[in-house]
Amino acid sequence: MNTTTTESTPLFWRDARLPHVELRKVMDGRKVCYAPHSHTQWSIGAITAGKSTFQYRDTLHQIRAGDLVLMNPEWVHTCNPVSDQPWAYLMLYVDTGWLTDLRFQAGLLPQRQWRDIPVATVSDPVWHERYCHMADCLLDPQRDLLDKQTEVVEFLSDLMHELARQPVVAEPKAPQALETLARYLDDHSAEEVSLDTLCELSGYSAGHLIRAFRQYTGLTPHAYLVNRRIQLGRRELQNGIPIAEAALNAGFADQPHFQRAFKRLMAATPNQYRRSSPDQQVKTTGGKQ
């Protein structure tokens, strides 16, 4: 894949033959600002230069070059620059189901069911170096598919064993009504949803519903819905769907609304994200198997 880009433009690496991982590279993150958001994937980033802030749920971390940051699926977070100071990072998004299976087969989970990882940051030069080595392999169009698969599996397997030594932190159980609302928004993310409907489903008053839902997810119901729509639109773009069509399929009224929300939550435009399509990746690697 051609990795030529300006320093302020994010690079997204994807390969249809490795559908469970996606890599983002930012060389100058001074203008890269995120609104609070979450991912359906498990994510791990490496700060490669400078420093930034990492808001992870209710905790603010100061991170710098050499640190790794870890994000559980659905955990709200932001990672933003400090006073316009330069910083750079890599971010790997890993399919939650695939990683769950990897942990289960390694004997780190009692069953094939995701368990949150209670670690937010890792400050260890060995793990940082291994992460960057893996990322360099993925970004190199001359490396074979088997080589890339091996790097990803070895790094993540070893890291999961390391993190399994940390004590398990029990997450408070959310009320069933809030879990039901979250699943409802997941299933109807591309549709118009009213607060009246959510109140009827939960039995909560409007004010109580918004407060309780924010406490449970870290987002208001509307922010949660927009976040889900962006994830849906992101998958559409990965599959090569035109931006205007992806916007409508994801539940946005039009392309401008989609573009504004995408930039706010992804710190990249849909077009920047779409440039790294699976088809481009296979063509530029010569389709090596």
Side-chain angles (χ1 to χ4, degrees):
M1 176 177 174
N2 182 5
T3 59
T4 301
T5 181
T6 63
E7 289 192 352
S8 60
T9 303
L11 166 73
F12 293 94
W13 172 90
R14 294 189 293 275
D15 189 324
R17 302 166 302 169
L18 286 85
H20 49 274
V21 290
E22 178 181 10
L23 183 69
R24 175 186 181 125
K25 180 177 182 179
V26 173
M27 291 182 287
D28 183 354
R30 281 176 290 183
K31 304 301 181 184
V32 179
C33 296
Y34 296 90
H37 65 287
S38 64
H39 307 291
T40 56
Q41 310 100 322
W42 182 77
S43 310
I44 178 169
I47 311 304
T48 55
K51 61 183 179 179
S52 69
T53 60
F54 173 43
Q55 180 74 44
Y56 193 44
R57 285 191 163 178
D58 296 329
T59 305
L60 180 65
H61 303 267
Q62 301 294 332
I63 52 176
R64 60 187 65 247
D67 290 341
L68 300 179
V69 295
L70 291 68
M71 287 151 279
N72 286 313
E74 314 298 352
W75 284 33
V76 174
H77 60 275
T78 61
C79 205
N80 290 317
V82 177
S83 303
D84 199 38
Q85 296 183 39
W87 70 297
Y89 67 94
L90 296 157
M91 183 64 66
L92 186 74
Y93 306 97
V94 186
D95 179 78
T96 303
W98 181 86
L99 186 58
T100 299
D101 192 59
L102 185 76
R103 294 167 72 190
F104 174 75
Q105 292 187 21
L108 302 176
L109 293 176
Q111 53 189 343
R112 280 188 171 90
Q113 183 175 349
W114 175 260
R115 177 179 290 175
D116 287 331
I117 294 171
V119 178
T121 63
V122 174
S123 299
D124 184 322
V126 173
W127 286 111
H128 190 272
E129 182 179 354
R130 287 194 59 181
Y131 181 109
C132 293
H133 181 79
M134 173 200 62
D136 287 343
C137 178
L138 293 179
L139 292 168
D140 187 349
Q142 302 304 315
R143 303 285 284 269
D144 292 334
L145 172 63
L146 181 59
D147 193 7
K148 297 185 179 189
Q149 291 172 321
T150 301
E151 288 285 346
V152 169
V153 170
E154 281 195 329
F155 172 77
L156 290 175
S157 293
D158 291 348
L159 181 62
M160 291 302 108
H161 277 89
E162 177 69 20
L163 296 176
R165 299 189 179 99
Q166 301 294 325
V168 176
V169 178
E171 285 294 308
K173 183 69 174 176
Q176 183 61 46
L178 295 179
E179 291 189 353
T180 298
L181 288 184
R183 299 293 77 80
Y184 179 85
L185 292 173
D186 292 344
D187 295 338
H188 298 81
S189 58
E191 304 169 18
E192 184 176 48
V193 177
S194 74
L195 186 57
D196 291 339
T197 298
L198 298 182
C199 290
E200 184 177 343
L201 286 171
S202 64
Y204 289 2
S205 67
H208 179 52
L209 186 152
I210 293 172
R211 288 192 300 273
F213 195 86
R214 192 204 300 269
Q215 184 177 13
Y216 167 49
T217 67
L219 300 168
T220 66
H222 178 254
Y224 184 94
L225 182 67
V226 172
N227 188 79
R228 273 290 182 267
R229 287 175 175 173
I230 291 300
Q231 296 301 317
L232 179 56
R234 181 178 173 181
R235 290 196 297 271
E236 294 278 289
L237 296 176
Q238 287 175 359
N239 293 326
I241 302 299
I243 295 174
E245 185 177 345
L248 295 178
N249 291 346
F252 289 91
D254 50 40
Q255 184 173 333
H257 282 86
F258 176 54
Q259 292 187 174
R260 287 193 295 271
F262 198 94
K263 181 68 181 294
R264 189 165 53 85
L265 298 185
M266 290 290 296
T269 67
N271 192 46
Q272 288 171 337
Y273 184 75
R274 189 173 174 271
R275 285 175 190 162
S276 301
S277 72
D279 288 342
Q280 283 179 313
Q281 175 64 17
V282 171
K283 288 178 183 177
T284 52
T285 57
K288 287 193 295 183
Q289 301 295 323

